[in-house]
């Protein structure tokens, strides 16, 4: 009987370790979305966090100072920021915004 009692916590620990590993680690998933907005020029990149990898759908922005900001996917600020970063990714770095081709 005592072996069964010891086996249950072990199985729970293994299950939890596997689920965190499958999510890419809790540190890589946004657990909460805050209303933080950052100036577009301070954003460096973004990626979309989706299920089932992480429990919360979010857009994760990275700033030029390597800070992570978790944003609501359907908010106007989020969509504007994603479009801005996508446009900058397509534009060659040697051209400024005001350059005429």
């Amino acid at each position: 009987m005592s072996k069964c009692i010891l086996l249950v916590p072990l199985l729970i620990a293994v299950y939890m370790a596997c689920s965190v590993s499958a999510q890419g680690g809790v540190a890589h998933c946004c657990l909460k979305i805050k209303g933080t907005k950052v100036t577009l020029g301070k954003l460096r990149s973004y990626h979309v966090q989706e299920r089932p990898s992480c429990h919360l759908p979010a857009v994760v922005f990275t700033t030029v100072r390597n800070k992570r900001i978790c944003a609501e996917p359907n908010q106007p600020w989020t969509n504007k920021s994603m479009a801005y970063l996508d446009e900058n990714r397509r534009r060659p770095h040697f051209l400024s915004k005001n350059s005429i081709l």
Side-chain angles (χ1 to χ4, degrees):
M1 185 68 140
S2 64
K3 290 181 183 179
C4 290
I5 293 174
L6 295 175
L7 186 60
V8 171
L10 178 63
L11 290 174
I12 291 172
V14 169
Y15 172 76
M16 290 176 65
C18 290
S19 67
V20 168
S21 175
Q23 293 177 9
V26 174
H28 299 290
C29 292
C30 291
L31 302 177
K32 191 186 300 186
I33 292 179
K34 295 185 179 179
T36 305
K37 295 179 183 177
V38 177
T39 309
L40 294 176
K42 293 183 179 182
L43 295 175
R44 184 178 65 193
S45 64
Y46 75 91
H47 71 272
V48 178
Q49 169 181 295
E50 297 176 338
R51 293 179 183 217
S53 299
C54 298
H55 295 292
L56 182 68
V59 176
V60 184
F61 291 101
T62 304
T63 67
V64 294
R65 293 186 177 192
N66 274 343
K67 301 285 184 192
R68 292 178 63 227
I69 298 170
C70 301
E72 186 76 40
N74 297 322
Q75 292 297 313
W77 176 83
T78 304
N79 293 322
K80 180 180 178 182
S81 299
M82 289 173 20
Y84 170 81
L85 291 169
D86 288 342
E87 181 62 30
N88 281 347
R89 193 175 301 143
R90 285 189 286 261
R91 182 181 297 120
H93 293 287
F94 60 88
L95 296 176
S96 69
K97 287 182 181 180
N98 300 326
S99 296
I100 299 174
L101 295 175

